[in-house]
Amino acid sequence: MPDKNSLRRSRVAILGSTGSIGVSTLEVLALHPHQFEVFALSASTQVDKLLAQCVHFKPRYAVMASAAHGKILAEKCKALGLTTQVLAGAESLTEMAQHPEVDMVMAAIVGAAGLASCLAAARAGKRLLLANKEALVVGGDYFLQAVAAGGAKLLPIDSEHSAVFQSLPDDATTWSAQIDKIILTASGGPFRRRDPATFHSITPEQACAHPNWVMGRKISVDSATMMNKALEVIEARYLFGVKPSQIDVVIHPQSVIHSMVQYQDHSVLAQLGTPDMKVPIAYGLSWPQRMASGANALDFKTMSDLSFESVQDHGHPERFPGLALAWAVLDAVPGSTAVLNAANEIAVEAFLAKRIRFDQIHAVNLETLASLIPSPPQSLEDLLALDQQSRSVANAVVMGLSH
């Protein structure tokens, strides 16, 4: 948040502005027009949605993933008399992420496609609001080295990691000495009570119907398999510098407590709020202060219950088999987390396209991990090559299951 005496607003680049995180970020920024300026927006293919955002927020730049989509957007902006400059391609995303006039970068591009721009923002020393799990899941220590080298401020936007961050001492150098464990909460998704024997018949529409959160299709499926929580375990290990054994997951169906930190004295600090991504987004934008998010307040007088369940679900460990892969890949060869992430993206994509069944997503992840032992990545090129190799292996596994 800019100083009250400052005349210049903080300039924000939102990479992935047409997704759910990007839209929520713009809703928060709209509440504080005197504090923030929307400097750049980007989208993959949604030209009309990005155009509407350009009309409303008048960013200096707009970036489309492809030149073809960029040309269409540029023509439409020109027809409306907008001064927004339209760019296209991965290099333009990187340019926006490290632009000298940008203060904050909201990294909300889903998947490994957002990795290069995240690294660019980190190396340029930006305030990096990280909603892209893959930067840490794929990048790992390599990404953290870029953050340290650039002097960037890394602020987690995932509701769980933001909750942990808000529950930790201000001095990061004391975290490891004080923390006993980090407890990530999970809603359990739409199938926490469904008989695992029926998982073969789950449809994409059912898997995308999350009971608490409004999310994109891919992350909704990840929530249903709890692979999203596996990725969050990996992310937490890198974000907070704890051992994998110090991270636990508990099901909390109400999604009111977003995560907790248990300290050495066994006291527990937690962050509570309505299940609305505008809360962690507003905190990331305004840190170390706080500002209005536009989310509804909790009403404790009408809150009937806060309950917790074991992930093992009373003798049904097969309900969420993918969750255990988080600890497995953290204990494996460096780069294994990237393999898991890529395999899961291919598996979810195949499920959404109805090429494999819901219960086969885990099989794709497991077989890909078993088939590929990576060499520890030393560069962005290594990471992207490993990502592509993992996708090729996972696609071959999918083809075998599809026939």
Side-chain angles (χ1 to χ4, degrees), residues 36-378:
F36 301 95
E37 173 189 344
V38 178
F39 186 83
L41 300 173
S42 87
S44 178
T45 60
Q46 297 192 66
V47 172
D48 289 338
K49 193 168 183 178
L50 185 54
L51 177 66
Q53 292 176 345
C54 290
V55 169
H56 189 277
F57 292 96
K58 299 177 174 58
R60 197 178 305 182
Y61 296 96
V63 183
M64 294 299 304
S66 72
H69 286 103
K71 182 180 180 182
I72 296 170
L73 179 63
E75 291 172 349
K76 292 191 174 190
C77 283
K78 184 178 180 180
L80 293 174
L82 299 178
T83 59
T84 298
Q85 184 177 345
V86 178
L87 307 173
E91 290 184 0
S92 295
L93 282 176
T94 299
E95 182 184 344
M96 290 300 101
Q98 62 190 16
H99 196 288
E101 293 185 63
V102 167
D103 302 298
M104 306 181 188
V105 175
M106 170 59 76
I109 296 175
V110 175
L115 182 57
S117 53
C118 281
L119 281 165
R123 289 174 177 143
K126 305 301 183 185
R127 175 180 293 202
L128 181 52
L129 311 181
L130 192 64
N132 173 296
K133 286 183 174 66
E134 289 73 21
L136 283 164
V137 174
V138 177
D141 287 324
Y142 179 76
F143 177 71
L144 291 181
Q145 290 164 10
V147 171
K153 182 59 186 178
L154 186 61
L155 296 173
I157 298 301
D158 269 355
S159 60
E160 294 82 2
H161 299 104
S162 177
V164 171
F165 183 69
Q166 293 179 57
S167 302
L168 287 169
D170 292 337
D171 184 0
T173 63
T174 68
W175 289 355
S176 60
Q178 296 190 58
I179 296 174
D180 180 31
K181 64 179 176 177
I182 286 171
I183 306 167
L184 302 177
T185 57
S187 69
F191 308 131
R192 71 183 181 89
R193 294 296 191 197
R194 180 164 173 155
D195 184 352
T198 68
F199 277 14
H200 66 280
S201 63
I202 288 173
T203 66
E205 291 70 30
Q206 290 171 330
C208 290
H210 196 280
N212 298 340
W213 296 91
V214 177
M215 304 182 293
R217 284 166 63 80
K218 193 268 182 184
I219 195 171
S220 294
V221 175
D222 282 348
S223 179
T225 63
M226 213 176 277
M227 182 52 65
N228 72 320
K229 212 53 53 176
L231 298 177
E232 287 169 16
V233 168
I234 296 167
E235 199 176 2
R237 178 259 176 268
Y238 289 112
L239 273 171
F240 306 117
V242 296
K243 300 174 184 176
S245 59
Q246 289 179 281
I247 306 171
D248 199 3
V249 175
V250 64
I251 291 178
H252 170 51
Q254 295 81 20
S255 296
V256 171
I257 296 176
H258 296 302
S259 279
M260 300 169 271
V261 177
Q262 181 171 297
Y263 286 85
Q264 294 286 353
D265 61 0
H266 287 175
S267 62
V268 178
L269 297 185
Q271 186 263 342
L272 285 71
T274 51
D276 191 326
M277 287 305 298
K278 291 195 289 289
V279 175
I281 289 168
Y283 185 68
L285 289 165
S286 63
W287 179 88
Q289 303 174 43
R290 292 181 185 267
M291 66 184 189
S293 67
N296 293 327
L298 284 176
D299 185 351
F300 288 95
K301 296 185 293 294
T302 61
M303 198 179 298
S304 60
D305 189 27
L306 293 179
S307 61
F308 303 90
E309 303 168 9
S310 166
V311 173
Q312 296 304 318
D313 189 35
H314 312 296
H316 283 293
E318 70 272 25
R319 185 181 301 280
F320 303 118
L323 180 59
L325 293 179
W327 289 271
V329 294
L330 284 172
D331 288 334
V333 178
S336 297
T337 56
V339 176
L340 174 60
N341 177 75
N344 184 64
E345 283 194 23
I346 294 299
V348 171
E349 183 182 283
F351 166 66
L352 288 172
K354 300 183 178 180
R355 295 175 59 204
I356 63 171
R357 302 191 310 266
F358 179 83
D359 61 331
Q360 292 177 318
I361 294 174
H362 178 60
V364 173
N365 294 336
L366 205 59
E367 190 167 337
T368 304
L369 284 168
S371 303
L372 182 58
I373 300 176
S375 299
Q378 303 296 325

